[in-house]
Amino acid sequence: MESRVLSSGAIGNIPRLAIKPATRINNVGVGSAVSFPVRRLVNNTEGGNLVWGRQLRPNLLNLDYSHPTKHADHVLKPCLAAASDSTGDAAPTGFLAKNPWLVTGFFFFMWYFLNVIFNILNKKIYNYFPYPYFVSVIHLAVGVVYCLGSWAVGLPKRAPIDSNLLKLLIPVAVCHALGHVTSNVSFAAVAVSFTHTIKALEPFFNAAASQFILGQSIPITLWLSLAPVVLGVSMASLTELSFNWLGFISAMISNISFTYRSIYSKKAMTDMDSTNLYAYISIIALFVCLPPAIILEGPQLLKHGFNDAIAKVGMTKFVTDLFWVGMFYHLYNQLATNTLERVAPLTHAVGNVLKRVFVIGFSIIIFGNKISTQTAIGTSIAIAGVACYSLIKAKIEEEKRNLKSA
């Protein structure tokens, strides 16, 4: 399920007759059943994906992607020809290769499932262990251990890193760490549904950064589509029963952090595959999160934090909860990569909106949070606005790609 990128040396081994002369191939991503051409980094419309580079693949934290079948005739078909045996017979294809929608559907299901489970378990931990800085460290630490274990067995093989690449990744990792910690502070302070409602404003911050920091021209239709997002979040905030300023401000800082993460991601151009990139960024982010956790929560944890949690749920449940919440955090991000690289921009946009709806809906059901009618209406308006924004932006990106390829 992990992503790969063929190096230029590997591509050089493909027989010349297997590639059409007019087609230019730099990197090719290899999925579980079907290979897709790698896309360039584009604007991030949500805090889900992290870093691309020159001809990079989608990574963990939500980008726009071109439809995998659109270039299939130019890239994939010749490669399949090269896979034929010496007698000229076509390489055999399995059931999943003939029905790739089954694999894509499974990835969507697992992405949603792991994300919902993470949010629910995360909030349950905060109900008896309200230390978001320490829990954020655990999220990253478990993921780092997972990555180190994967490297140890060669799945994937660890990509080398130098000082120049490290300098490029540090700003991305710092923004990732800050956004992750502040999200958890908000989750601990208010209802999960309210935090996700506030985080629906992320496209607004991304559009503002693109317009005023990167100097990109944002069409008026995109700005108009963001109006219901702002209106809906405002309505939900005014009547949210769990509202407090700590949760609200933390969620807003998270939005800003993930926006700057997108900006720095554009500058971190590298040919490294996204799985290795996310591993390195997680390691850097872990070191960024450790000092504030030790300074702000260390004395309280040693004095009564750990003892109170163990007294409430027991040592075994406490340790296993922390382990599994870290695993779910890492795995749902990794599954998001494999899911989003398989679909067209419109499908990607709808998928991200539906994911937020799923999380909000399940959190209300599981925790029995009471919400006012105005909060429900405001949340619905905000989500609808995010859907409109995502669909419009996806169409604009698709039109740009069509013009470039014409």
Side-chain angles (χ1 to χ4, degrees):
M1 296 180 63
E2 291 154 339
S3 304
R4 296 283 194 280
V5 176
L6 295 181
S7 65
S8 58
I11 293 175
N13 294 328
I14 298 176
R16 295 178 60 86
L17 294 179
I19 302 177
K20 292 185 178 181
T23 302
R24 179 181 178 183
I25 303 176
N26 290 327
N27 288 322
V28 177
V30 180
S32 299
V34 181
S35 299
F36 306 129
V38 181
R39 288 89 185 174
R40 292 181 181 275
L41 171 67
V42 293
N43 287 338
N44 189 340
T45 59
E46 190 174 329
N49 293 329
L50 285 179
V51 181
W52 297 179
R54 301 182 300 273
Q55 300 285 339
L56 262 194
R57 308 165 61 79
N59 91 344
L60 298 177
L61 295 181
N62 308 2
L63 301 174
D64 294 326
Y65 315 88
S66 59
H67 198 288
T69 60
K70 181 175 179 180
H71 304 286
D73 292 338
H74 299 286
V75 177
L76 299 180
K77 189 173 181 180
C79 294
L80 290 176
S84 302
D85 57 25
S86 58
T87 61
D89 294 333
T93 57
F95 176 77
L96 293 180
K98 294 179 180 178
N99 299 277
W101 63 271
L102 289 175
V103 179
T104 302
F106 174 76
F107 281 175
F108 263 106
F109 171 78
M110 291 303 299
W111 173 33
Y112 284 18
F113 174 76
L114 293 174
N115 190 276
V116 169
I117 296 299
F118 162 74
N119 278 275
I120 292 173
L121 180 57
N122 204 42
K123 184 59 178 180
K124 285 186 175 181
I125 291 174
Y126 288 135
N127 287 339
Y128 68 82
F129 188 69
Y131 297 94
Y133 290 91
F134 178 79
V135 174
S136 298
V137 168
I138 294 298
H139 291 165
L140 294 170
V142 173
V144 167
V145 172
Y146 176 91
C147 292
L148 294 177
S150 299
W151 280 341
V153 298
L155 296 172
K157 184 178 179 181
R158 186 183 70 83
I161 187 171
D162 55 30
S163 58
N164 292 328
L165 179 57
L166 187 62
K167 291 178 182 178
L168 291 174
L169 294 184
I170 285 177
V172 182
V174 170
C175 292
H176 176 55
L178 181 59
H180 179 54
V181 169
T182 49
S183 291
N184 279 292
V185 171
S186 181
F187 284 137
V190 296
V192 173
S193 57
F194 181 59
T195 298
H196 277 277
T197 301
I198 299 300
K199 287 176 71 64
L201 282 172
E202 203 166 297
F204 174 82
F205 287 97
N206 278 314
S210 298
Q211 179 85 55
F212 302 111
I213 297 179
L214 298 179
Q216 299 176 355
S217 178
I218 303 298
I220 187 63
T221 52
L222 273 181
W223 284 113
L224 292 176
S225 68
L226 289 170
V229 180
V230 177
L231 174 63
V233 171
S234 300
M235 289 178 60
S237 300
L238 290 174
T239 56
E240 170 59 41
L241 300 179
S242 68
F243 178 89
N244 64 56
W245 284 107
L246 177 62
F248 178 82
I249 293 175
S250 297
M252 294 294 284
I253 293 175
S254 176
N255 284 335
I256 297 173
S257 300
F258 286 140
T259 297
Y260 274 93
R261 183 184 65 187
S262 299
I263 294 174
Y264 287 119
S265 293
K266 286 196 155 203
K267 300 177 181 179
M269 298 300 183
T270 172
D271 288 324
M272 188 184 298
D273 66 275
S274 59
T275 302
N276 275 291
L277 272 174
Y278 186 62
Y280 282 121
I281 288 170
S282 296
I283 293 172
I284 300 171
L286 176 60
F287 284 102
V288 174
C289 290
L290 272 173
I294 294 173
I295 295 171
L296 297 176
E297 295 180 344
Q300 297 178 19
L301 288 171
L302 294 176
K303 186 177 181 179
H304 56 77
F306 291 124
N307 292 332
D308 289 349
I310 294 171
K312 291 177 181 178
V313 299
M315 173 66 80
T316 302
K317 180 173 174 54
F318 178 53
V319 173
T320 54
D321 280 354
L322 291 178
F323 169 77
W324 282 114
V325 77
M327 282 299 297
F328 284 127
Y329 171 76
H330 182 82
L331 292 177
Y332 100 74
N333 276 296
Q334 185 166 313
L335 259 295
T337 303
N338 301 107
T339 303
L340 299 180
E341 71 182 349
R342 293 175 170 269
V343 297
L346 292 180
T347 307
H348 159 236
V350 174
N352 274 307
V353 174
L354 290 179
K355 182 201 74 173
R356 198 174 297 282
V357 173
F358 267 77
V359 173
I360 292 175
F362 274 97
S363 66
I364 292 174
I365 294 172
I366 296 297
F367 296 107
N369 297 330
K370 295 181 178 179
I371 60 174
S372 66
T373 302
Q374 184 172 327
T375 298
I377 294 174
T379 301
S380 300
I381 293 174
I383 296 299
V386 172
C388 291
Y389 171 87
S390 300
L391 294 174
I392 293 173
K393 189 174 189 303
K395 289 182 179 179
I396 293 174
E397 294 297 332
E398 186 68 23
E399 290 174 358
K400 289 181 180 178
R401 278 188 289 271
N402 290 338
L403 289 175
K404 289 181 180 179
S405 62

